[in-house]
Amino acid sequence: MVLGLTHAGAEDWARMRALQYGRLFEATKLKVASHALAAVASIWLFRDVAPLSMIFGWALLLGTVVAYGARVDLAMHDVTRHKLNAQEFRRQVEIAALTGLVWVAPVAWFTLHAPDSARLELWAILALLLTVSAVIIPAAPMATVAFAGTVGLPVICGFVLTGALPMALITCLFVATIMLGTIETSRHFLMSRLGEAGVAERNEVVSLLLGEYEEGDADWLWETDTNRRVRAVSRRFAYALGMEVSEIDGQPFVQLLAGAAWANGRFHPSMHDLAERLKRRERFANLPVQVVVRGEKRWWELSGQPRFDEAGDYAGFHGVGSDVTQARASSEKIAWLARYDTLTGLPNRMMLTEALGEAMLYAEQWRTRCAFLMIDLDRFKAVNDTLGHLIGDQLLARVSDRLKSLMSETELCGRLGGDEFAVVIRDASDLSRVSRMAQAVIDRLSEPYTVESHTLFVGASVGAAIGPRDGGSVEELMRNADLALYRAKDGGGGQQCMYEPALLAQAEERRKIEFAMRHALDRNEFHLVFQPVVDTGDEAVVSFEALLRWENPELGTISPAKFVPVAEDTRLIVPIGDWVMKQACIQATQWPRHVKVAVNVSGEQLVDANFHNCVVSALAMANLPAQRLEIEVTESIFLRDAAGARLALERIMALGCSVALDDFGTGYSSLGYIRKLRFSTIKLDRSFVQGAAVGNRESLAVARAVVAMADSLEMATTAEGVETEAELALVRKLGCTKIQGYYYGRPMAAAETLTLFQKDRRKAG
Ligand code: C2E
Ligand code: CA
Ligand code: CA
């Protein structure tokens, strides 16, 4: 084992040889010196008995072999790192044997040629050399044994041959002693090397551990005694606590970490967790603990395990810790971002969904109800489009502040996206409370806002759904609240609507309409009807309004009030509107030259890039002068893309077409665009006409104002929806220029319009 001849597993063998031979280079210098000395002494012995050339040749040979051996030894310098391989080991032994053989040469020569005294002197020199190598090179026992063997054996033989038997015996003993002694010394040497290596290895582990933890400047080792008091405080640990080592040593661990909060007992729950584990002597890893360092809350991650003394008794805890405040802050930030809306700071859709899920569970558990309110701002788009996103964003932030101020403990508001908000009401056992909340939201959000010196008016519509009554799942409840919201918005905004199953049926119908409408043009299901507009003065027809009709084999006759909004939402209104435009123009050519045709155009059509082309080609195809085409638009077109809509209208006007403002008074009452665009006619909505006729003062006031304004802007006015004699009298008194209504004629088929002129002619004739 010590010699390196037995193999205790290749890995161990190499490692052990490395431990031995690693020290060899230290002895090499001494070895070379001792050989040189022995050589000089031998040469002095030879000087008279041997020829000079032989002495010189031998010295050269010895020098070469020893030098080579020294080189091999020095090459093993770093052997502790790479471990000694068998080849290196063998080479080392071979060289030792070779060196021995070189020394044997003079022995052989002397035995034959020299006197006994000289032979004894040479042997004394060799014995010294053997002793020296045995003593100074315990690192390489096998080499020494080989050397002693190769030298000793011929010497013994020499003594035997010359009859010096006692000398042979003594030499035998000497060589044996040297060999055994070498092996024994080497064993000790190896043992101590192994011991050293063990210590080093342990040190390595410790420094590795320390290195790893001390490297990052926030990590440290900690240790407590059986009383959970801090012991063996490291500087780093003290630094992490923002204290001196002396202040900390012997302090209760948990109390140290909790800081001032310890006294009032208001420390973070994580501290209880830690204390509990220490008490139970339970090992823990990466336990997050909120500590207080210099009055500042920080997050630490602690790992620890109980330690035991030699007798196996519990001696306290030890472990490592690190400050993870920063990492935690960023992961908290990420978690926050995932659950909150960055613009308003309100919970986002994800968190609202979660909250609704919890509210539904709660409702199920306690057999109560929860509610989900969906809120949509009215006219927000107009603000965004006219004043820009920066103002829009600020407005949204104000809206959220107001919304938040309305919430109690059991309600949570959030932003679903865009101008859509929502409220989760955990306890909706009292249904009137839900509608009170909805109304409060509408009222509060409808109050004017001041953002960067702009006074802004936006309203809100609310749709509500009650769980579990209106839906068993979060998705269903949200969808139904959305349906209710849709209905509320449909009503013109500023309203709340509670979900009812009929809404689902309507939504279903809407879906059906949408589906059927996709093929309606191809299947020729559309046709136009025309309603006459007469001059107030002479009651002569001045124009017809083209009104779209749709007859579907399955759905029957569907009112435009129902299908036009669907067509607008799906943008199917663009190809449909194109068809209407062409049909209307064609029909107009059948009427007298002074009779115009009015065509309703939706906002979606106006902002369509192809709208101008559509008008031009319709006029060209029908060969109708542009002056005979009137486009009817409502105020709603200015809500979306006001600039785009205005531009489109100006291009149509440039062709010679006129533009009428439809349903006036019902929409977004900002009069700015009336001054900017030269409308030919303002159509007073039917509701004012009928309202004023039954004595509604407000309707009358609006009607008067509209007529006065139109007059001052030199625009014509058309009173819509005149059905009765009384209404007719009223609009005459108001001074409207034109009248449209059942009183003069219902929307009629194309062919029927022609009979009107025949009657006219008959009347005139
Ligand atoms: P609108 O432009 O205000 O059209 C006038 C509506 O009032 C028509 O309803 C007409 O039938 C109705 N009306 C006319 N006189 C009277 C009356 O004396 N009493 C009552 N109660 N109603 C009267 P209609 O045809 O159902 O059209 C509804 C709406 O559908 C239209 O309102 C218009 O906004 C839209 N629309 C119709 N055709 C088209 C179209 O081709 N394109 C577009 N984009 N929209 C259309
Ligand atoms: Ca119209
Ligand atoms: Ca109208």
Side-chain angles (χ1 to χ4, degrees):
M1 184 71 183
V2 174
L3 291 174
L5 298 176
T6 52
H7 286 205
E11 176 72 16
D12 280 349
W13 181 87
R15 188 155 163 67
M16 234 178 289
R17 295 292 82 77
L19 283 175
Q20 284 176 309
Y21 284 65
R23 280 291 166 83
L24 196 60
F25 75 95
E26 289 168 4
T28 299
K29 272 188 238 155
L30 273 171
K31 188 170 98 180
V32 172
S34 62
H35 275 279
L37 214 72
V40 170
S42 309
I43 291 168
W44 185 78
L45 257 181
F46 295 158
R47 77 187 189 282
D48 292 328
V49 287
L52 206 70
S53 60
M54 204 169 111
I55 297 172
F56 186 72
W58 174 81
L60 198 70
L61 188 68
L62 181 71
T64 311
V65 172
V66 170
Y68 181 64
R71 242 193 64 198
V72 169
D73 287 356
L74 289 176
M76 290 180 180
H77 173 79
D78 64 345
V79 90
T80 30
R81 299 222 186 99
H82 71 63
K83 291 177 186 169
L84 188 71
N85 64 35
Q87 201 189 340
E88 282 173 303
F89 172 74
R90 199 171 340 109
R91 177 148 11 108
Q92 227 265 337
V93 175
E94 280 164 2
I95 290 164
L98 194 67
T99 318
L101 280 179
V102 174
W103 276 110
V104 164
V107 173
W109 194 84
F110 270 58
T111 309
L112 301 173
H113 305 281
D116 281 351
S117 66
R119 207 167 60 228
L120 278 175
E121 272 163 357
L122 179 64
W123 171 233
I125 292 170
L126 284 178
L128 194 75
L129 197 58
L130 278 180
T131 315
V132 168
S133 47
V135 172
I136 65 169
I137 333 177
M142 193 53 209
T144 306
V145 168
F147 184 60
T150 37
V151 173
L153 207 66
V155 172
I156 294 163
C157 291
F159 282 130
V160 171
L161 280 176
T162 52
L165 282 179
M167 264 319 274
L169 202 70
I170 290 168
T171 308
C172 233
L173 279 171
F174 175 74
V175 170
T177 312
I178 286 289
M179 284 183 171
L180 289 172
T182 300
I183 292 169
E184 197 50 40
T185 330
S186 195
R187 188 196 311 281
H188 283 294
F189 174 77
L190 183 59
M191 284 315 186
S192 78
R193 286 290 283 156
L194 276 175
E196 264 175 55
V199 170
E201 229 162 315
R202 243 174 291 133
N203 281 340
E204 212 171 351
V205 172
V206 172
S207 64
L208 245 179
L209 188 77
L210 283 176
E212 199 171 276
Y213 289 111
E214 306 271 310
E215 205 113 291
D217 53 14
D219 302 307
W220 58 87
L221 297 163
W222 57 271
E223 191 175 309
T224 60
D225 61 14
T226 46
N227 293 321
R228 296 193 285 277
R229 287 173 188 275
V230 178
R231 295 295 175 203
V233 179
S234 70
R235 260 193 12 259
R236 287 194 168 278
F237 180 50
Y239 178 77
L241 272 171
M243 293 190 211
E244 292 295 323
V245 172
S246 55
E247 286 179 88
I248 297 167
D249 199 50
Q251 294 290 315
F253 187 50
V254 177
Q255 192 174 330
L256 258 183
L257 304 193
W262 184 261
N264 56 31
R266 269 189 301 203
F267 39 84
H268 198 265
S270 59
M271 204 58 81
H272 287 288
D273 207 13
L274 174 67
E276 198 54 32
R277 287 174 195 243
L278 291 175
K279 207 157 84 190
R280 288 204 302 254
R281 298 181 187 178
E282 206 174 274
R283 173 197 176 99
F284 52 90
N286 302 327
L287 184 74
V289 180
Q290 198 192 67
V291 303
V292 179
V293 175
R294 287 192 216 92
E296 191 195 335
K297 281 183 190 144
R298 299 200 67 87
W299 278 99
W300 282 7
E301 220 165 66
L302 294 176
S303 301
Q305 61 186 69
R307 54 193 184 90
F308 301 92
D309 59 19
E310 287 96 283
D313 293 329
Y314 171 71
F317 258 84
H318 62 178
V320 293
S322 53
D323 190 312
V324 294
T325 312
Q326 207 126 46
R328 212 177 152 102
S330 55
S331 66
E332 263 170 14
K333 177 90 191 165
I334 289 165
W336 191 89
L337 282 176
R339 293 163 62 79
Y340 287 87
D341 170 50
T342 34
L343 178 64
T344 61
L346 289 184
N348 65 8
R349 179 180 286 271
M350 184 179 153
M351 190 168 169
L352 281 170
T353 313
E354 277 173 21
L356 182 58
E358 280 163 26
M360 287 184 77
L361 271 178
Y362 179 88
E364 197 184 334
Q365 198 172 357
W366 301 101
R367 298 191 179 278
T368 72
R369 283 179 289 216
C370 63
F372 188 68
L373 302 187
M374 228 168 200
I375 304 159
D376 191 278
L377 299 184
D378 301 332
R379 293 181 296 274
F380 173 75
K381 193 99 180 65
V383 171
N384 228 9
D385 290 344
T386 52
L387 300 174
H389 289 281
L390 285 177
I391 302 278
D393 285 356
Q394 288 183 54
L395 177 61
L396 288 176
R398 300 289 174 77
V399 168
S400 13
D401 288 343
R402 290 189 186 180
L403 206 53
K404 246 188 287 185
S405 72
L406 292 172
M407 298 300 120
S408 74
E409 291 246 310
T410 55
E411 292 137 7
L412 178 84
C413 65
R415 182 175 172 222
L416 291 170
D419 61 345
E420 271 198 350
F421 295 83
V423 176
V424 175
I425 302 176
R426 213 184 165 92
D427 179 17
S429 44
D430 176 8
L431 281 187
S432 69
R433 190 173 144 200
V434 175
S435 62
R436 272 205 307 278
M437 168 60 86
Q439 197 52 50
V441 166
I442 292 168
D443 294 345
R444 186 81 183 94
L445 298 193
S446 302
E447 288 167 20
Y449 299 81
T450 310
V451 178
E452 285 188 8
S453 77
H454 297 281
T455 305
L456 306 172
F457 296 87
V458 291
S461 304
V462 178
I466 310 295
R469 186 192 76 185
D470 299 338
S473 69
V474 170
E475 292 72 34
E476 206 179 330
L477 211 57
M478 285 177 100
R479 185 203 63 199
N480 288 346
D482 196 27
L483 284 175
L485 173 64
Y486 197 88
R487 159 56 69 85
K489 284 212 88 84
D490 237 19
Q495 294 175 13
Q496 58 162 306
C497 177
M498 186 80 83
Y499 170 79
E500 47 185 282
L503 288 179
L504 187 61
Q506 282 163 18
E508 183 58 23
E509 188 189 354
R510 220 182 129 85
R511 206 190 54 76
K512 269 193 200 147
I513 288 175
E514 188 189 320
F515 185 76
M517 199 163 24
R518 295 196 181 275
H519 309 287
L521 264 184
D522 299 342
R523 294 177 185 167
N524 270 321
E525 292 172 9
F526 290 119
H527 70 273
L528 291 181
V529 291
F530 301 87
Q531 185 176 32
V533 179
V534 303
D535 184 275
T536 317
D538 61 9
E539 293 184 313
V541 174
V542 289
S543 65
F544 283 95
E545 180 176 1
L547 294 162
L548 186 58
R549 295 291 177 263
W550 178 25
E551 246 136 321
N552 181 272
E554 277 144 48
L555 301 170
T557 308
I558 308 136
S559 153
K562 214 176 221 173
F563 73 79
V564 167
V566 181
E568 286 172 347
D569 282 356
T570 54
R571 292 189 54 83
L572 279 168
I573 194 69
V574 174
I576 294 171
D578 190 55
W579 178 87
V580 170
M581 189 69 71
K582 292 198 166 85
Q583 295 303 307
C585 288
I586 290 166
Q587 184 55 41
T589 56
Q590 309 286 306
W591 303 324
R593 286 170 188 277
H594 67 277
V595 178
K596 290 185 176 189
V597 64
V599 176
N600 294 286
V601 169
S602 300
E604 273 68 21
Q605 288 172 267
L606 267 191
V607 294
D608 186 80
N610 213 32
F611 179 66
H612 187 259
N613 276 351
C614 152
V615 175
V616 170
S617 64
L619 291 171
M621 205 182 91
N623 196 18
L624 185 78
Q627 286 70 22
R628 292 184 62 192
L629 175 64
E630 187 165 59
I631 304 292
E632 287 192 10
V633 294
T634 64
E635 293 165 284
S636 65
I637 59 162
F638 299 106
L639 288 181
R640 276 270 191 87
D641 178 6
R646 205 180 127 189
L647 194 77
L649 289 179
E650 275 167 354
R651 290 184 71 193
I652 300 303
M653 286 171 168
L655 291 174
C657 303
S658 48
V659 178
L661 190 56
D662 207 353
D663 303 343
F664 190 75
T666 57
Y668 181 61
S669 326
S670 159
L671 301 175
Y673 54 84
I674 294 193
R675 295 183 188 282
K676 286 184 195 150
L677 262 175
R678 291 216 29 82
F679 293 105
S680 60
T681 304
I682 293 179
K683 298 185 80 171
L684 183 62
D685 192 66
R686 191 178 80 215
S687 58
F688 297 106
V689 172
Q690 297 178 340
V694 296
N696 185 317
R697 295 166 140 265
E698 215 173 308
S699 298
L700 188 63
V702 171
R704 280 207 180 110
V706 170
V707 174
M709 184 191 69
D711 280 350
S712 74
L713 293 170
E714 295 179 357
M715 295 175 183
T717 42
T718 301
E720 287 190 299
V722 175
E723 295 179 358
T724 63
E725 206 69 65
E727 284 159 5
L728 178 65
L730 177 96
V731 300
R732 277 179 192 280
K733 218 176 97 193
L734 273 174
C736 292
T737 22
K738 293 178 278 187
I739 299 167
Q740 178 181 3
Y742 294 170
Y743 183 81
Y744 286 107
R746 291 181 176 251
M748 55 191 81
E752 214 179 313
T753 58
L754 302 177
T755 61
L756 232 70
F757 300 113
Q758 285 156 9
K759 260 189 249 161
D760 264 10
R761 224 174 288 140
R762 246 180 278 138
K763 225 197 225 164

